[in-house]
Each structure stands twice: as C-alpha cells, then as structure tokens.
Amino acid sequence: MVVKVYGPIYGCPKRVVVCLIEKEIEFEGVHVDLFKGENKEPEFLKLQPFGSLPVIQDGDYTLYESRAIIRYFAEKYKDQGTDLLGKTIEEKGLVEQWLEVEAHNFHPPIYDLVINLLFAPLMGDPSDQKVIEESDKKLEKVLDVYEERLSKSKYLAGDFFSLADLSHLPFGHYLVNQTGRGNLVRERTHVSAWWDEISNRPSWKKVLQLYKYAV
Amino acid sequence: MVVKVYGPIYGCPKRVVVCLIEKEIEFEGVHVDLFKGENKEPEFLKLQPFGSLPVIQDGDYTLYESRAIIRYFAEKYKDQGTDLLGKTIEEKGLVEQWLEVEAHNFHPPIYDLVINLLFAPLMGDPSDQKVIEESDKKLEKVLDVYEERLSKSKYLAGDFFSLADLSHLPFGHYLVNQTGRGNLVRERTHVSAWWDEISNRPSWKKVLQLYKYAV
C-alpha cells in the first residue's frame, strides 16, 4: 500500500515528499485546500487535531508533524535509498542538532517572511513591516552561523547529506526564489555552494516537477 | 568522565537534566549567567554559536539544542535507566510527533508568557499585553487537544512515559506554578492527572531540588 501525503503543494509537506523520494518509497499526494479551510473541517481534524499540514498514512498508521515523519521514514527504511541519519550515535546527534536549528532558528523568520510577503497580499491582509524587518535581521545572523559551519564541513551535520540539510529545502526555496532574499544566500560563499548542492539533487527537482508551490 | 550541562538553573537545560537523571547518567552543572550576558561571550559562542542554552559536553563531544541532546542520550543509553523512546518504530514515531507538538504548539505560547510575565518585569522591560492574551488563547486550544488525547492514552505517545512527556516538564512547571495559569491544567481532568503523574516522578523532584529556577 502506498504512503499517502496530505497537502503536497504546500511548504512543510514538501519536506516529507523529498524524504520519500530520497528513501525510494512509493507515495501519493492528497490535496487539502488551505485557502478553502479544508484543514479545519471535522474529517481532517480527526487526522490532525491542530489543523496543520502535513499528515501521512502508512497503511493504518497515521502520523503528523513533518520533522517527526521524516525521522520515522529515515529510520523505518534505514537501509533503502539515501541514508539520512548518519552512521554513529554522535553523527546522529549532530543531525538532530541541526534539524532543531532549522526548526527553531532558520524556519521562524523565513516563515514570517512568506506569510507577510506572499500569503498576506493574496488573502487581502496587511503585511507587517516590523515583522519583515526583524525577520531579515534574524535570517542574516542565522546564515552567518551557517557560513561559519559550512566553511568546516560540506553539509550541516558533517560530510554527509542528512535530514538536517533536506529539512531546509522547502523554505530555502522560498528564501532564494520567491521572497527576493536570494542575496542573503548568494553573499555567503559556503551557504551558496551548499544551497546549490542540495537544491540540485534529483529528489528536490522531482518535488518541484510533481507539486508546484501553492504560492 | 561526567557529562557537563551548561545553564541548569534555566528552563530548557532542565529538559536535559531530567533526562540524564532518568537515564542514570552522571553529570555536573556549569553555571552560565544570562542576566550578565555570559551566553554572548566569545568563549561560550565557541560552544554554542547562537548564544543559547543548553549545551552539553560528553567527553570531547559537544552538542546543543535541548531536544537533540535528550534524543542523543536516550539512544546512546537505550538499555540503561528508563526507556524513553518506545519499543517499536511506530511507537518511536509517535514519541517524535508529540515532541514536535511540544516544541511547536505548547512551548511558544508558554515561553511568551514566561518572558512577558516573569523576565520582562525583572529586566525592567514592559510586558506586551496583546502577546499575553494571544498566548493564553493558544494554550487553551493546545490543551484541549491534549485533553482529548490523554483521555485515550495515559501518556502522550501511548501507555508509556517518554521523551514527549518529559519535554513538557520545565515549562509545564512555569505554567502551573509560576505564571498563575494552573487553572488551564486543573480545568482539564486528563491533563491534570497526566501533569500530576509526570511532575511527581522522582527525577523531576530531584531536578527541582538540585537547581532552583532562576525566575
């Protein structure tokens, strides 16, 4: 039975889709229209009580939260497709550390930019200029740390591509291509080379080909 | 060599301390004074480039981000002390899911309350009333989902205590005891019973005895 992924046209679910492709797992997308509020309907809330995307169904097993889902598949299919976890407990610790950095340092400011620069105008809501300015400053500082780190290792957790890098793809794409912030990446030699490396992987190209971004 | 934990008087590092006690791992605390800005000094930034707590040193291995650290120790000492990861890949997936819910749904509003109700007055900063009201509303909704979940299983990920429950202890303590929000827990039968269960574990009592909260 193929894995079902809910909401693949949106950012966070693409984190799951690119992981499934790297792990060579068969899947199908199930459309959920956030603009029509389908994520707040009772049927959906039975799967994900917070009304967020993504959710997956793997047979009769249901799981939500994109970074929990990618850990689950990376472990369940450890020996299939690309190993995304590292070989030792110490390597895995660093994968976890940089996954957390992505979630808590990188994601919030770029998410706020996407909401204010892309979604708000589309919904007829005002953009918050103060949030935009603060997010830009936060991203600069975060990417300075990445530049330093990536001057010492090819990928975030070491010299191997992992969940930590993969997790940056959906909102890194927004950063570089859809919010006019490509310069934040291009001004930093090692971040720029890292971004080219990970965003040129066949798995990510396949995601973009299968599911265009909703915004 | 005992594990070093930086900043154990603060909230997030207590997530690590309670995990080390559950796993029966020897450790020592290293004081870092946030109020004096010691977390922004060059020596500290070499360990944690974002200037955040906690950091651990396990021999010559350094790791930061509390939820990455607890996963590392839970896995490294899988067969020592309390098993905090679940027995199957499916159980572990649910532990990961609820760890992510703690990080993304539970933590942000209670963190904002702690900053505005406890730290801001201490630093002579103004409290943001709008943030306080929004955080209260968010917490109510989150705890409604917890109430439903905990009516079906004793702990968040199933009928076993795990990293997902443990991760709630440091800021659950703030919620119940230091921000005047105990009613949010006590008004919900299953959340209340769960909180009593996890906060009465000897490990958490030991944490409170060893390291009083800074605020």
Side-chain angles (χ1 to χ4, degrees), chain A residues 160-214:
Chain A
F160 58 102
F161 178 73
S162 75
L163 289 183
D165 308 292
L166 174 148
S167 197
H168 286 77
L169 283 164
F171 281 78
H173 180 86
Y174 274 125
L175 179 70
V176 173
N177 300 300
Q178 280 162 270
T179 55
R181 262 67 182 168
N183 62 307
L184 296 183
V185 167
R186 296 308 172 201
E187 286 162 1
R188 292 167 174 84
T189 314
H190 297 96
V191 175
S192 184
W194 167 77
W195 176 253
D196 286 340
E197 185 76 27
I198 66 173
S199 64
N200 278 306
R201 291 180 73 87
S203 59
W204 182 243
K205 290 187 170 176
K206 183 82 181 168
V207 172
L208 295 179
Q209 182 192 327
L210 284 173
Y211 302 111
K212 283 200 192 315
Y213 273 75

CSV table of all heavy atoms in Angstrom, one decimal, chain A residues 160-214:
chain,number,residue,atom,x,y,z
A,160,PHE,N,28.2,14.5,5.2
A,160,PHE,CA,27.2,13.6,4.5
A,160,PHE,C,25.9,14.4,4.5
A,160,PHE,O,25.5,15.1,5.4
A,160,PHE,CB,27.0,12.3,5.3
A,160,PHE,CG,26.7,12.5,6.8
A,160,PHE,CD1,25.4,12.3,7.3
A,160,PHE,CD2,27.7,12.9,7.7
A,160,PHE,CE1,25.1,12.6,8.6
A,160,PHE,CE2,27.4,13.1,9.0
A,160,PHE,CZ,26.1,13.0,9.5
A,161,PHE,N,25.1,14.2,3.4
A,161,PHE,CA,23.8,14.8,3.3
A,161,PHE,C,22.9,14.1,4.2
A,161,PHE,O,22.9,12.9,4.4
A,161,PHE,CB,23.3,14.6,1.8
A,161,PHE,CG,21.9,15.1,1.6
A,161,PHE,CD1,21.7,16.5,1.5
A,161,PHE,CD2,20.9,14.2,1.4
A,161,PHE,CE1,20.4,16.9,1.2
A,161,PHE,CE2,19.6,14.7,1.1
A,161,PHE,CZ,19.3,16.0,1.1
A,162,SER,N,22.0,14.9,5.0
A,162,SER,CA,21.2,14.2,6.0
A,162,SER,C,19.8,15.0,6.1
A,162,SER,O,19.6,15.9,5.4
A,162,SER,CB,21.9,14.3,7.4
A,162,SER,OG,21.8,15.6,7.9
A,163,LEU,N,19.0,14.5,7.0
A,163,LEU,CA,17.7,15.1,7.3
A,163,LEU,C,17.9,16.6,7.6
A,163,LEU,O,17.0,17.4,7.3
A,163,LEU,CB,17.0,14.4,8.5
A,163,LEU,CG,16.5,13.0,8.3
A,163,LEU,CD1,15.8,12.6,9.6
A,163,LEU,CD2,15.5,12.9,7.1
A,164,ALA,N,19.0,16.9,8.2
A,164,ALA,CA,19.2,18.3,8.6
A,164,ALA,C,19.3,19.2,7.4
A,164,ALA,O,18.7,20.3,7.4
A,164,ALA,CB,20.5,18.5,9.4
A,165,ASP,N,20.0,18.8,6.3
A,165,ASP,CA,20.0,19.6,5.1
A,165,ASP,C,18.7,19.6,4.4
A,165,ASP,O,18.1,20.6,4.0
A,165,ASP,CB,21.1,19.1,4.2
A,165,ASP,CG,22.4,18.9,4.9
A,165,ASP,OD1,23.0,19.9,5.2
A,165,ASP,OD2,22.9,17.8,5.1
A,166,LEU,N,18.2,18.3,4.2
A,166,LEU,CA,16.9,18.1,3.5
A,166,LEU,C,15.8,19.0,4.0
A,166,LEU,O,15.0,19.5,3.3
A,166,LEU,CB,16.6,16.6,3.6
A,166,LEU,CG,15.2,16.1,3.1
A,166,LEU,CD1,15.4,14.7,2.6
A,166,LEU,CD2,14.1,16.1,4.1
A,167,SER,N,15.8,19.2,5.4
A,167,SER,CA,14.7,19.9,6.0
A,167,SER,C,14.7,21.4,5.6
A,167,SER,O,13.7,22.1,5.8
A,167,SER,CB,14.9,19.7,7.5
A,167,SER,OG,13.7,20.1,8.2
A,168,HIS,N,15.8,21.9,5.1
A,168,HIS,CA,15.9,23.3,4.7
A,168,HIS,C,15.3,23.5,3.3
A,168,HIS,O,15.1,24.7,2.9
A,168,HIS,CB,17.3,23.8,4.7
A,168,HIS,CG,17.9,24.0,6.1
A,168,HIS,ND1,18.3,23.0,6.9
A,168,HIS,CD2,18.1,25.1,6.8
A,168,HIS,CE1,18.8,23.5,8.0
A,168,HIS,NE2,18.6,24.8,8.0
A,169,LEU,N,15.1,22.5,2.5
A,169,LEU,CA,14.7,22.7,1.1
A,169,LEU,C,13.4,23.5,0.9
A,169,LEU,O,13.4,24.5,0.1
A,169,LEU,CB,14.7,21.3,0.4
A,169,LEU,CG,16.1,20.7,0.1
A,169,LEU,CD1,16.0,19.3,-0.3
A,169,LEU,CD2,16.7,21.5,-1.1
A,170,PRO,N,12.3,23.1,1.5
A,170,PRO,CA,11.0,23.8,1.2
A,170,PRO,C,11.1,25.3,1.4
A,170,PRO,O,10.6,26.1,0.6
A,170,PRO,CB,10.0,23.1,2.0
A,170,PRO,CG,10.6,21.8,2.3
A,170,PRO,CD,12.0,22.0,2.5
A,171,PHE,N,11.6,25.7,2.6
A,171,PHE,CA,11.6,27.2,2.9
A,171,PHE,C,12.9,27.9,2.4
A,171,PHE,O,12.9,29.1,2.2
A,171,PHE,CB,11.3,27.4,4.4
A,171,PHE,CG,9.8,27.3,4.6
A,171,PHE,CD1,9.2,26.0,4.7
A,171,PHE,CD2,9.0,28.4,4.7
A,171,PHE,CE1,7.9,25.9,4.9
A,171,PHE,CE2,7.6,28.3,4.9
A,171,PHE,CZ,7.0,27.0,5.0
A,172,GLY,N,13.9,27.1,2.1
A,172,GLY,CA,15.1,27.6,1.4
A,172,GLY,C,14.7,28.0,0.0
A,172,GLY,O,15.1,29.1,-0.5
A,173,HIS,N,13.8,27.2,-0.6
A,173,HIS,CA,13.3,27.6,-1.9
A,173,HIS,C,12.6,28.9,-1.9
A,173,HIS,O,12.8,29.8,-2.8
A,173,HIS,CB,12.4,26.5,-2.4
A,173,HIS,CG,11.8,26.7,-3.8
A,173,HIS,ND1,12.4,26.4,-4.9
A,173,HIS,CD2,10.6,27.3,-4.1
A,173,HIS,CE1,11.7,26.7,-6.0
A,173,HIS,NE2,10.6,27.3,-5.5
A,174,TYR,N,11.7,29.1,-0.9
A,174,TYR,CA,11.0,30.4,-0.7
A,174,TYR,C,12.1,31.5,-0.6
A,174,TYR,O,11.9,32.6,-1.2
A,174,TYR,CB,10.1,30.4,0.5
A,174,TYR,CG,8.8,29.9,0.3
A,174,TYR,CD1,8.3,28.8,1.1
A,174,TYR,CD2,7.9,30.4,-0.6
A,174,TYR,CE1,7.0,28.3,1.0
A,174,TYR,CE2,6.6,29.9,-0.8
A,174,TYR,CZ,6.1,28.9,0.1
A,174,TYR,OH,4.9,28.4,-0.1
A,175,LEU,N,13.0,31.3,0.3
A,175,LEU,CA,14.1,32.3,0.5
A,175,LEU,C,14.8,32.8,-0.7
A,175,LEU,O,14.9,34.0,-1.0
A,175,LEU,CB,15.1,31.7,1.6
A,175,LEU,CG,16.2,32.6,2.0
A,175,LEU,CD1,15.7,33.8,2.8
A,175,LEU,CD2,17.3,31.8,2.8
A,176,VAL,N,15.2,31.8,-1.5
A,176,VAL,CA,16.0,32.1,-2.7
A,176,VAL,C,15.2,32.6,-3.9
A,176,VAL,O,15.6,33.5,-4.6
A,176,VAL,CB,16.9,30.9,-3.1
A,176,VAL,CG1,17.6,31.1,-4.4
A,176,VAL,CG2,17.9,30.5,-2.0
A,177,ASN,N,14.0,31.9,-4.0
A,177,ASN,CA,13.3,32.1,-5.3
A,177,ASN,C,12.0,33.0,-5.2
A,177,ASN,O,11.6,33.5,-6.2
A,177,ASN,CB,12.9,30.8,-5.9
A,177,ASN,CG,14.1,29.9,-6.2
A,177,ASN,OD1,15.0,30.3,-7.0
A,177,ASN,ND2,14.3,28.8,-5.5
A,178,GLN,N,11.4,33.1,-4.0
A,178,GLN,CA,10.1,33.7,-4.1
A,178,GLN,C,9.9,34.9,-3.1
A,178,GLN,O,8.8,35.4,-3.1
A,178,GLN,CB,9.0,32.6,-3.8
A,178,GLN,CG,8.7,31.8,-5.1
A,178,GLN,CD,8.0,30.5,-4.8
A,178,GLN,OE1,8.7,29.5,-4.6
A,178,GLN,NE2,6.7,30.5,-4.8
A,179,THR,N,10.9,35.2,-2.3
A,179,THR,CA,10.7,36.4,-1.4
A,179,THR,C,11.8,37.5,-1.7
A,179,THR,O,11.9,38.4,-1.0
A,179,THR,CB,10.9,35.9,0.0
A,179,THR,OG1,12.2,35.3,0.2
A,179,THR,CG2,9.8,35.0,0.5
A,180,GLY,N,12.5,37.3,-2.8
A,180,GLY,CA,13.5,38.3,-3.2
A,180,GLY,C,14.7,38.4,-2.2
A,180,GLY,O,15.3,39.4,-2.0
A,181,ARG,N,15.0,37.3,-1.5
A,181,ARG,CA,16.0,37.3,-0.5
A,181,ARG,C,17.2,36.4,-0.9
A,181,ARG,O,18.1,36.0,-0.1
A,181,ARG,CB,15.5,36.7,0.8
A,181,ARG,CG,15.1,37.7,1.9
A,181,ARG,CD,13.9,38.5,1.5
A,181,ARG,NE,13.6,39.5,2.5
A,181,ARG,CZ,12.7,40.5,2.2
A,181,ARG,NH1,12.1,40.6,1.0
A,181,ARG,NH2,12.4,41.4,3.1
A,182,GLY,N,17.3,36.1,-2.2
A,182,GLY,CA,18.4,35.3,-2.7
A,182,GLY,C,19.8,35.8,-2.3
A,182,GLY,O,20.7,35.0,-2.1
A,183,ASN,N,19.9,37.1,-2.2
A,183,ASN,CA,21.2,37.8,-1.9
A,183,ASN,C,21.7,37.3,-0.5
A,183,ASN,O,22.9,37.2,-0.3
A,183,ASN,CB,21.1,39.3,-1.9
A,183,ASN,CG,20.1,39.8,-0.9
A,183,ASN,OD1,18.9,39.3,-0.9
A,183,ASN,ND2,20.5,40.7,0.0
A,184,LEU,N,20.8,37.0,0.4
A,184,LEU,CA,21.2,36.5,1.7
A,184,LEU,C,22.0,35.2,1.6
A,184,LEU,O,22.9,35.0,2.4
A,184,LEU,CB,20.0,36.3,2.7
A,184,LEU,CG,19.2,37.5,3.0
A,184,LEU,CD1,18.1,37.1,4.0
A,184,LEU,CD2,20.0,38.6,3.6
A,185,VAL,N,21.6,34.4,0.6
A,185,VAL,CA,22.4,33.2,0.4
A,185,VAL,C,23.6,33.4,-0.5
A,185,VAL,O,24.7,33.0,-0.2
A,185,VAL,CB,21.4,32.1,-0.3
A,185,VAL,CG1,22.2,31.0,-0.9
A,185,VAL,CG2,20.4,31.7,0.7
A,186,ARG,N,23.4,34.2,-1.5
A,186,ARG,CA,24.5,34.4,-2.5
A,186,ARG,C,25.7,35.2,-2.0
A,186,ARG,O,26.8,35.1,-2.5
A,186,ARG,CB,23.9,35.1,-3.8
A,186,ARG,CG,22.9,34.2,-4.5
A,186,ARG,CD,23.5,32.8,-4.8
A,186,ARG,NE,22.5,31.9,-5.4
A,186,ARG,CZ,22.6,30.6,-5.3
A,186,ARG,NH1,23.6,30.0,-4.7
A,186,ARG,NH2,21.7,29.8,-5.8
A,187,GLU,N,25.4,36.1,-1.0
A,187,GLU,CA,26.5,36.8,-0.4
A,187,GLU,C,27.4,36.0,0.5
A,187,GLU,O,28.4,36.5,1.0
A,187,GLU,CB,25.9,38.0,0.5
A,187,GLU,CG,25.3,39.1,-0.3
A,187,GLU,CD,24.4,40.0,0.5
A,187,GLU,OE1,24.2,39.7,1.8
A,187,GLU,OE2,23.8,40.9,0.0
A,188,ARG,N,27.0,34.8,0.8
A,188,ARG,CA,27.8,33.9,1.7
A,188,ARG,C,28.3,32.7,0.9
A,188,ARG,O,27.5,31.8,0.6
A,188,ARG,CB,26.9,33.4,2.9
A,188,ARG,CG,26.6,34.6,3.8
A,188,ARG,CD,25.5,34.3,4.8
A,188,ARG,NE,25.3,35.4,5.7
A,188,ARG,CZ,24.5,36.5,5.5
A,188,ARG,NH1,23.9,36.6,4.3
A,188,ARG,NH2,24.5,37.4,6.4
A,189,THR,N,29.6,32.7,0.6
A,189,THR,CA,30.2,31.7,-0.3
A,189,THR,C,29.8,30.2,0.0
A,189,THR,O,29.4,29.5,-0.9
A,189,THR,CB,31.7,31.7,-0.2
A,189,THR,OG1,32.1,33.1,-0.3
A,189,THR,CG2,32.4,31.0,-1.4
A,190,HIS,N,30.0,29.8,1.3
A,190,HIS,CA,29.7,28.4,1.6
A,190,HIS,C,28.2,28.1,1.7
A,190,HIS,O,27.8,27.0,1.3
A,190,HIS,CB,30.4,28.1,3.0
A,190,HIS,CG,31.9,28.2,2.9
A,190,HIS,ND1,32.6,29.3,3.3
A,190,HIS,CD2,32.9,27.4,2.3
A,190,HIS,CE1,33.9,29.2,3.0
A,190,HIS,NE2,34.1,28.0,2.5
A,191,VAL,N,27.4,29.0,2.2
A,191,VAL,CA,26.0,28.8,2.2
A,191,VAL,C,25.5,28.7,0.7
A,191,VAL,O,24.7,27.8,0.4
A,191,VAL,CB,25.2,30.0,2.9
A,191,VAL,CG1,23.7,29.8,2.8
A,191,VAL,CG2,25.6,30.0,4.4
A,192,SER,N,26.0,29.5,-0.1
A,192,SER,CA,25.6,29.5,-1.5
A,192,SER,C,26.0,28.1,-2.2
A,192,SER,O,25.1,27.6,-2.9
A,192,SER,CB,26.3,30.7,-2.3
A,192,SER,OG,25.9,30.7,-3.6
A,193,ALA,N,27.2,27.7,-2.0
A,193,ALA,CA,27.6,26.4,-2.5
A,193,ALA,C,26.8,25.2,-2.0
A,193,ALA,O,26.3,24.3,-2.7
A,193,ALA,CB,29.1,26.1,-2.3
A,194,TRP,N,26.5,25.3,-0.7
A,194,TRP,CA,25.6,24.3,0.0
A,194,TRP,C,24.2,24.3,-0.6
A,194,TRP,O,23.7,23.2,-0.9
A,194,TRP,CB,25.6,24.5,1.5
A,194,TRP,CG,24.6,23.8,2.3
A,194,TRP,CD1,24.6,22.5,2.7
A,194,TRP,CD2,23.4,24.4,2.8
A,194,TRP,NE1,23.5,22.2,3.4
A,194,TRP,CE2,22.7,23.3,3.6
A,194,TRP,CE3,22.8,25.6,2.8
A,194,TRP,CZ2,21.5,23.5,4.2
A,194,TRP,CZ3,21.6,25.8,3.5
A,194,TRP,CH2,21.0,24.8,4.2
A,195,TRP,N,23.7,25.5,-0.8
A,195,TRP,CA,22.3,25.6,-1.4
A,195,TRP,C,22.3,25.0,-2.8
A,195,TRP,O,21.4,24.2,-3.1
A,195,TRP,CB,21.8,27.0,-1.3
A,195,TRP,CG,20.5,27.1,-2.0
A,195,TRP,CD1,20.2,27.6,-3.2
A,195,TRP,CD2,19.2,26.5,-1.5
A,195,TRP,NE1,18.8,27.4,-3.5
A,195,TRP,CE2,18.2,26.7,-2.5
A,195,TRP,CE3,18.9,25.8,-0.3
A,195,TRP,CZ2,16.9,26.3,-2.4
A,195,TRP,CZ3,17.6,25.4,-0.2
A,195,TRP,CH2,16.6,25.6,-1.2
A,196,ASP,N,23.3,25.3,-3.6
A,196,ASP,CA,23.3,24.7,-4.9
A,196,ASP,C,23.4,23.2,-4.9
A,196,ASP,O,22.7,22.5,-5.7
A,196,ASP,CB,24.5,25.3,-5.7
A,196,ASP,CG,24.3,26.7,-6.1
A,196,ASP,OD1,23.1,27.2,-6.2
A,196,ASP,OD2,25.3,27.5,-6.4
A,197,GLU,N,24.2,22.7,-4.0
A,197,GLU,CA,24.4,21.3,-3.8
A,197,GLU,C,23.1,20.6,-3.5
A,197,GLU,O,22.7,19.6,-4.1
A,197,GLU,CB,25.5,21.0,-2.7
A,197,GLU,CG,25.9,19.6,-2.5
A,197,GLU,CD,26.8,19.1,-3.6
A,197,GLU,OE1,27.6,19.9,-4.2
A,197,GLU,OE2,26.8,17.9,-3.9
A,198,ILE,N,22.4,21.1,-2.5
A,198,ILE,CA,21.2,20.3,-2.0
A,198,ILE,C,20.0,20.6,-2.9
A,198,ILE,O,19.2,19.7,-3.1
A,198,ILE,CB,20.9,20.6,-0.5
A,198,ILE,CG1,20.4,22.1,-0.3
A,198,ILE,CG2,22.1,20.3,0.4
A,198,ILE,CD1,19.9,22.3,1.2
A,199,SER,N,19.9,21.8,-3.5
A,199,SER,CA,18.7,22.1,-4.3
A,199,SER,C,18.8,21.5,-5.7
A,199,SER,O,17.8,21.5,-6.4
A,199,SER,CB,18.4,23.6,-4.3
A,199,SER,OG,19.5,24.3,-5.0
A,200,ASN,N,20.0,21.1,-6.1
A,200,ASN,CA,20.2,20.4,-7.4
A,200,ASN,C,20.1,18.9,-7.3
A,200,ASN,O,20.3,18.2,-8.3
A,200,ASN,CB,21.5,20.8,-8.0
A,200,ASN,CG,21.4,22.1,-8.7
A,200,ASN,OD1,20.5,22.3,-9.5
A,200,ASN,ND2,22.3,23.1,-8.3
A,201,ARG,N,19.8,18.4,-6.1
A,201,ARG,CA,19.6,16.9,-6.0
A,201,ARG,C,18.4,16.5,-6.8
A,201,ARG,O,17.4,17.2,-6.8
A,201,ARG,CB,19.4,16.5,-4.5
A,201,ARG,CG,20.7,16.6,-3.7
A,201,ARG,CD,20.4,16.2,-2.3
A,201,ARG,NE,20.3,14.7,-2.1
A,201,ARG,CZ,21.3,13.9,-2.0
A,201,ARG,NH1,22.6,14.4,-1.9
A,201,ARG,NH2,21.2,12.6,-1.8
A,202,PRO,N,18.5,15.4,-7.5
A,202,PRO,CA,17.3,14.9,-8.3
A,202,PRO,C,16.0,14.8,-7.5
A,202,PRO,O,15.0,15.1,-8.1
A,202,PRO,CB,17.8,13.5,-8.8
A,202,PRO,CG,19.3,13.6,-8.8
A,202,PRO,CD,19.7,14.5,-7.7
A,203,SER,N,16.1,14.5,-6.3
A,203,SER,CA,14.9,14.4,-5.4
A,203,SER,C,14.2,15.7,-5.3
A,203,SER,O,12.9,15.7,-5.5
A,203,SER,CB,15.3,13.9,-4.0
A,203,SER,OG,16.2,14.8,-3.4
A,204,TRP,N,14.9,16.8,-5.1
A,204,TRP,CA,14.3,18.1,-5.0
A,204,TRP,C,13.7,18.6,-6.3
A,204,TRP,O,12.6,19.1,-6.4
A,204,TRP,CB,15.2,19.1,-4.4
A,204,TRP,CG,14.5,20.4,-4.2
A,204,TRP,CD1,14.9,21.6,-4.7
A,204,TRP,CD2,13.4,20.7,-3.3
A,204,TRP,NE1,14.0,22.6,-4.3
A,204,TRP,CE2,13.1,22.1,-3.4
A,204,TRP,CE3,12.6,19.9,-2.5
A,204,TRP,CZ2,12.1,22.7,-2.8
A,204,TRP,CZ3,11.6,20.5,-1.8
A,204,TRP,CH2,11.3,21.9,-1.9
A,205,LYS,N,14.4,18.3,-7.4
A,205,LYS,CA,14.0,18.7,-8.7
A,205,LYS,C,12.6,17.9,-9.0
A,205,LYS,O,11.7,18.5,-9.6
A,205,LYS,CB,15.0,18.4,-9.8
A,205,LYS,CG,16.2,19.3,-9.7
A,205,LYS,CD,17.2,19.1,-10.8
A,205,LYS,CE,18.2,20.2,-10.8
A,205,LYS,NZ,19.2,20.0,-11.9
A,206,LYS,N,12.6,16.7,-8.6
A,206,LYS,CA,11.4,15.9,-8.8
A,206,LYS,C,10.2,16.5,-8.0
A,206,LYS,O,9.1,16.5,-8.5
A,206,LYS,CB,11.7,14.5,-8.3
A,206,LYS,CG,10.6,13.5,-8.5
A,206,LYS,CD,10.5,12.9,-9.9
A,206,LYS,CE,9.4,12.0,-10.2
A,206,LYS,NZ,9.2,11.7,-11.6
A,207,VAL,N,10.5,16.9,-6.8
A,207,VAL,CA,9.4,17.5,-6.0
A,207,VAL,C,8.8,18.7,-6.7
A,207,VAL,O,7.6,18.9,-6.8
A,207,VAL,CB,9.9,18.0,-4.6
A,207,VAL,CG1,8.9,18.8,-3.8
A,207,VAL,CG2,10.4,16.7,-3.8
A,208,LEU,N,9.7,19.6,-7.2
A,208,LEU,CA,9.2,20.8,-7.9
A,208,LEU,C,8.5,20.5,-9.2
A,208,LEU,O,7.5,21.2,-9.5
A,208,LEU,CB,10.4,21.7,-8.2
A,208,LEU,CG,11.2,22.3,-7.0
A,208,LEU,CD1,12.4,23.1,-7.4
A,208,LEU,CD2,10.3,23.1,-6.1
A,209,GLN,N,8.9,19.4,-9.8
A,209,GLN,CA,8.2,19.0,-11.0
A,209,GLN,C,6.8,18.4,-10.7
A,209,GLN,O,5.8,18.7,-11.4
A,209,GLN,CB,9.1,17.9,-11.7
A,209,GLN,CG,8.6,17.4,-13.0
A,209,GLN,CD,9.5,16.2,-13.4
A,209,GLN,OE1,10.7,16.1,-13.1
A,209,GLN,NE2,8.8,15.2,-14.0
A,210,LEU,N,6.7,17.6,-9.6
A,210,LEU,CA,5.4,17.0,-9.2
A,210,LEU,C,4.4,18.0,-8.6
A,210,LEU,O,3.2,17.9,-8.9
A,210,LEU,CB,5.7,15.9,-8.2
A,210,LEU,CG,6.3,14.6,-8.6
A,210,LEU,CD1,6.6,13.7,-7.4
A,210,LEU,CD2,5.3,13.8,-9.6
A,211,TYR,N,4.9,18.8,-7.7
A,211,TYR,CA,4.0,19.7,-7.0
A,211,TYR,C,4.5,21.1,-7.0
A,211,TYR,O,5.3,21.5,-6.2
A,211,TYR,CB,3.9,19.2,-5.5
A,211,TYR,CG,3.4,17.8,-5.4
A,211,TYR,CD1,4.3,16.8,-4.9
A,211,TYR,CD2,2.1,17.4,-5.8
A,211,TYR,CE1,3.9,15.4,-4.8
A,211,TYR,CE2,1.7,16.1,-5.7
A,211,TYR,CZ,2.6,15.1,-5.2
A,211,TYR,OH,2.2,13.8,-5.1
A,212,LYS,N,3.9,21.9,-7.9
A,212,LYS,CA,4.2,23.3,-7.9
A,212,LYS,C,3.8,23.9,-6.6
A,212,LYS,O,2.8,23.5,-5.9
A,212,LYS,CB,3.4,24.0,-9.0
A,212,LYS,CG,4.0,23.8,-10.4
A,212,LYS,CD,3.5,24.9,-11.4
A,212,LYS,CE,3.8,24.5,-12.8
A,212,LYS,NZ,5.2,24.0,-13.0
A,213,TYR,N,4.5,25.0,-6.1
A,213,TYR,CA,4.2,25.6,-4.9
A,213,TYR,C,2.8,26.3,-5.0
A,213,TYR,O,2.5,26.9,-6.1
A,213,TYR,CB,5.2,26.7,-4.5
A,213,TYR,CG,6.4,26.2,-3.7
A,213,TYR,CD1,7.4,25.4,-4.3
A,213,TYR,CD2,6.5,26.5,-2.4
A,213,TYR,CE1,8.4,24.9,-3.6
A,213,TYR,CE2,7.6,26.0,-1.6
A,213,TYR,CZ,8.5,25.2,-2.2
A,213,TYR,OH,9.6,24.7,-1.5
A,214,ALA,N,2.0,26.3,-4.0
A,214,ALA,CA,0.7,27.0,-4.0
A,214,ALA,C,0.9,28.5,-4.1
A,214,ALA,O,0.0,29.1,-4.7
A,214,ALA,CB,-0.1,26.6,-2.7
